[in-house]
Structures are given as C-alpha cells and as structure tokens.
Amino acid sequence: PGMDPGHPSQPPARPSKRFSLRELARLVGIAPSTASMALSGDERIRAKTAARGRVRQLTTAPARGHDVEHPQAHGTAQRLSDTGYVHVVHLNTGILDLILSMLALTAEGVTQSQAGADDESDAISIADYEKRLIAKVKAKAAPKGYITADFGYGKTSTALYVWDRCRQAGLLAVPPFKLRRLDDLIHASYGWARHELTKTAPALVPDLEALYGAYRERSIESMASGDAALAEKLRELLAAGHLTLDLGPTDYATFFEKLVALVDQAGFAGVVVLADELQQYLDPVIRGGRGDPIAPLFNIVEALNTRRGHLPFGLVFSLLRKDFGVINDQRGDFILRLKDDKLGLDLSTIYDKRV
C-alpha cells in the first residue's frame, strides 16, 4: 500500500538478526531520528528487544507459506495502475508482521503529552487516533480526517498502521493509495473491495461489479449525450486511464452508501478509505489552471456530513504539511470540515524534535 507501481522479480530476503532500531525504522519507512525520538528510555529498550526477538523468530523459523499481494483488479487494470493497485508486490507475511509490530510500538510510545500542536485535534497519539476513527465509523458517524507531516515523518507508514488496525477491527479498509484523480476514490475502493469479497464472499462480487459499472456507465452516458460512438470511445479512454468519471458529490456519497450496504452482507462492520498523497491530485489542477481542486473534495465531505448517524464509513486524507498550510490559508472551511470529527493528526508535532 502506498508504493509506486512496479514489481520485484523475487520476494525480499528475510532480515538478518543484526537490524538496529534505526535500520528497522528505515524498513518501516519513517525517519530514523523520528523512531529514536518517538521512544525514549525504557520504552526504546523495550521496542528494540521486542523487535530483535521478532527478527530472531523470522530468521530461525521456516518461512511462512504465503505472500501478501496487491490484487490485479478485474477489468480496471490500467486505470488502477495509477493508484498503485495493479502491481503485485510480494511481501513475506513475516516481514509485514515485523513492520506492523514496529509501527504499533511507535504508536504506543508516542503519547499525547509529547505532542506540541496548537490545535488540540492534532494533539493525539497515533494509537488513540486509530481507536477514535474505528469507534466513529462503527458509530455510523461518517467521519473524515487527515494525516499530515513534512517529508520523512512516515505519513504513509502511519496510514498503513491505521489500515491494519481498521482491518483487525472488522472494517473493510482500503489501504493507502495515491490520489491522482478524484475518481480514484471510487476506482480504488472498488478494486480493494473486489479483492476482499473474492476471498470472503465471492457470491457478492457480481453485485459489486454491477454497482461499479452503474456509476461508470452513468458518467459515460452523461458525457456522451446519447452519442453511441462517443460513448464507446469514452469507455476505451476510461479503460486506458485517460478519462476521469464525471460524477457529482452526491454520486460519491451514494456509491459509498451502497458499498457499505454490500460489504455488510459479507460481515464487514463498515468501510474506511485512506487516500494518500493528496498533493498529487491538487498540484496538477492548480498548475494547469483548471479551477479550484478543493471545491469537489469539500462538496464530497459535505455530502458525507449529511449521512452522519447513518453511515459506517470513514475517509482519511494524507498530505504534506506545506500543502496543508496552503489549503488552510485558501480554503480554511475545508480544513475545518476535516477537523469536525477530531481526526486531525500532525506527525510533525507528535514526533517532537527534543531528545
């Protein structure tokens, strides 16, 4: 999750026993200095001991019998390649366990007292953040939130940890994907839901495909205005990843409503979507002078707000702190909407730079 497209020809080798905390931090994807500051004193010793013990288990026990793979979503391969979902990443499950264990130790070690945020919604530990998100989703509060930080603080790694905790809590959680176009919210949600339902409730896959197809066709028919030849050309462009679905905010909200109702039949308690690197959606629109890229996001968030108390669905964005500041200056109303559920997480303030 969150990786660029590409696939190694061989699975990564299992780690050696000599990994230091700094090396493990690099493996997890957070700055080594951040890992050291997140845990101090006895907590740091506990983390290193636990991590090295886990490494010894991995290097002395036989390799576990399966890999973790991104699904190649049926029928949308080219489109989903833009969101990082098509490529197959072989990752031994032992390595994944190790990474998630380190993230959990870091989350537990960073307490609210270490946070220096001016806004109390940002002054929350990572562990408390995921608990609050899960609780609000299960309470059908349709929560929205964000994760922000400068480069090197581990936004994607934190989102990966949140994804894993949501998954363990019985939610259908879409792992971090790069949001390059607005409709990636639908493409990625469909792709991961299909992957999960194929494993847990294959009888529901045709219903999911029908749901996704209905929204795709609705957009194409609207753009084609009855021209069959143009509609076929638009389908080709969509399959090749060169067309953005023309959907309104209500379309997104109703799609998520119907997705939640569908996966509920498979036993999932709700849906969480983790859209990574929001700046990759914002920057091209701003540079190209193609209007206000925040307005559609704001309208989707507003549409979801009307489902509060009825919809077990959560939407979390991650973005660079500088972009967060720009948005806050220009569209502070959007940031305020994201803060409504007290699910703002600023890693730059949590990982205090004081040793």
Side-chain angles (χ1 to χ4, degrees):
M3 300 178 185
D4 287 324
H7 53 276
S9 57
Q10 298 293 332
R14 289 181 291 168
S16 75
K17 301 178 187 178
R18 298 181 180 178
F19 271 47
S20 66
L21 179 61
R22 294 176 65 83
E23 290 166 327
L24 286 167
R26 290 192 183 96
L27 178 64
V28 170
I30 61 177
S33 58
T34 298
S36 296
M37 289 179 291
L39 303 172
S40 59
D42 293 340
E43 289 176 333
R44 189 181 305 179
I45 295 171
R46 179 173 65 88
K48 292 176 73 171
T49 301
R52 285 176 175 153
R54 184 73 182 113
V55 170
R56 280 195 295 274
Q57 292 175 14
L58 292 173
T59 52
T60 57
R64 293 166 68 173
H66 61 285
D67 294 326
V68 174
E69 299 182 353
H70 284 292
Q72 180 152 351
H74 177 68
T76 57
Q78 182 61 46
R79 187 68 198 90
L80 286 176
S81 67
D82 288 343
T83 66
Y85 273 85
V86 164
H87 69 290
V88 178
V89 177
H90 293 281
L91 184 63
N92 183 277
T93 51
I95 303 293
L96 181 60
D97 286 347
L98 174 61
I99 292 173
L100 293 172
S101 296
M102 284 300 296
L103 287 169
L105 285 166
T106 302
E108 292 168 3
V110 180
T111 63
Q112 188 166 350
S113 63
Q114 289 175 285
D118 295 329
D119 190 305
E120 66 175 10
S121 68
D122 293 336
I124 180 175
S125 72
I126 299 171
D128 286 342
Y129 183 88
E130 52 92 358
K131 291 173 185 174
R132 182 178 295 178
L133 173 62
I134 291 167
K136 286 181 175 289
V137 170
K138 290 189 174 183
K140 301 182 180 181
K144 285 75 58 186
Y146 63 85
I147 299 171
T148 188
D150 296 320
F151 280 115
Y153 279 86
K155 295 182 301 299
T156 300
S157 298
T158 300
L160 174 63
Y161 168 78
V162 172
W163 163 74
D164 183 64
R165 300 298 292 176
C166 289
R167 188 169 57 91
Q168 291 185 36
L171 303 175
L172 191 150
V174 180
F177 61 94
K178 293 182 179 178
L179 185 69
R180 292 191 174 99
R181 299 180 185 182
L182 194 61
D183 61 347
D184 284 342
L185 291 169
I186 286 181
H187 295 307
S189 298
Y190 158 74
W192 193 259
R194 190 181 193 284
H195 170 67
E196 290 289 347
L197 292 180
T198 298
K199 296 186 301 180
T200 59
L204 293 175
V205 171
D207 293 337
L208 176 66
E209 291 176 340
L211 172 63
Y212 176 68
Y215 280 81
R216 184 182 57 202
E217 285 300 308
R218 179 187 304 176
S219 177
I220 288 172
E221 289 171 6
S222 173
M223 288 185 282
S225 300
D227 187 329
L230 176 57
E232 188 57 35
K233 181 61 177 177
L234 291 173
R235 290 186 188 96
E236 292 174 5
L237 291 172
L238 181 63
H242 301 311
L243 180 70
T244 300
L245 294 178
D246 182 19
L247 298 172
T250 302
D251 294 322
Y252 283 89
T254 56
F255 174 83
F256 292 131
E257 273 185 319
K258 292 176 180 178
L259 179 62
V260 164
L262 184 62
V263 302
D264 176 70
Q265 298 176 52
F268 291 100
V271 174
V272 172
V273 174
L274 296 159
D276 199 11
E277 300 189 25
L278 181 61
Q279 67 273 7
Q280 294 204 18
Y281 159 69
L282 300 175
D283 292 348
V285 178
I286 294 171
R287 287 199 305 268
R290 301 198 300 270
D292 178 10
I294 299 299
L297 287 174
F298 178 86
N299 292 334
I300 291 173
V301 167
E302 285 287 85
L304 289 172
N305 278 341
T306 65
R307 273 75 174 173
R308 278 182 173 168
H310 306 284
L311 185 61
F313 173 84
L315 178 60
V316 176
F317 299 101
S318 76
L319 71 163
L320 289 171
R321 205 164 188 244
K322 67 179 182 65
D323 294 291
F324 179 89
V326 171
I327 296 171
N328 199 28
D329 290 340
Q330 298 181 359
R331 288 297 307 264
D333 53 345
F334 176 65
I335 298 299
L336 286 174
R337 293 296 185 277
L338 293 184
K339 288 184 174 183
D340 280 348
D341 297 297
K342 298 191 181 300
L343 285 169
L345 182 63
D346 187 341
L347 299 177
S348 303
T349 59
I350 287 181
Y351 295 128
D352 197 317
K353 292 190 176 182
R354 292 171 298 176
V355 178

